[in-house]
Amino acid sequence: MLQYIVAGLIVGGVYAIAAASLTVTYASTGILNLGFGGLAFFLARLFYFLNSQQGVNTWLAAAIVVVGIAPILGWLLWWLLFRHLESSTRSTQIVVMVGLAVALPAAASLLFGNQSVYSAPGLAGTSGRVVHPDDVH
């Protein structure tokens, strides 16, 4: 039973983060940004490309993506799309955001390749001791 509670808390936390990002974006810009998942995928795929395929150090790759590329990409998307959508109709905004959600993962596949990723590196090392309290993994 505890396994299901822990799994539910983790999935609920992911949903809470997604809901908070949608809410903050909508409250600050007036646009329901449905493309944030595509943006997150693009940046995660860029991190994987730099770290696993190009051999860049984990922390350096994370810094390049988080401090360098993410703000530039966010500003570029604002300059190209978001600033023009403020005066658009709601349906136009939604169509553009769905298009962004589709276009960014496709752009990542074109830029970084489309091979399957079965084991992605993270920022935390794997040499630590794994704890299994009450058979919860």
Side-chain angles (χ1 to χ4, degrees):
M1 179 70 163
L2 185 61
Q3 291 180 12
Y4 296 113
I5 292 172
V6 171
L9 288 172
I10 292 170
V11 172
V14 170
Y15 284 137
I17 291 170
S21 66
L22 280 172
T23 303
V24 168
T25 303
Y26 183 75
S28 63
T29 64
I31 297 172
L32 185 61
N33 185 0
L34 301 173
F36 77 94
L39 182 60
F41 175 82
F42 183 89
L43 293 170
R45 185 63 180 88
L46 175 61
F47 171 78
Y48 180 81
F49 174 76
L50 290 173
N51 184 252
S52 295
Q53 294 176 293
Q54 299 300 315
V56 176
N57 178 290
T58 301
W59 290 103
L60 180 60
I64 290 170
V65 171
V66 172
V67 177
I69 303 299
I72 292 169
L73 186 58
W75 179 82
L76 186 65
L77 287 172
W78 172 82
W79 190 74
L80 291 173
L81 288 175
F82 297 145
R83 69 184 177 124
H84 302 293
L85 289 176
E86 293 173 0
S87 60
S88 300
T89 64
R90 195 66 69 195
S91 59
T92 302
Q93 291 175 355
I94 290 174
V95 167
V96 169
M97 291 299 116
V98 169
L100 188 62
V102 172
L104 285 172
S109 294
L110 288 173
L111 291 172
F112 312 122
N114 59 355
Q115 74 278 3
S116 298
V117 177
Y118 296 109
S119 177
L123 295 178
T126 57
S127 62
R129 190 177 74 118
V130 178
V131 180
H132 301 285
D134 199 27
D135 287 334
V136 176
H137 302 282

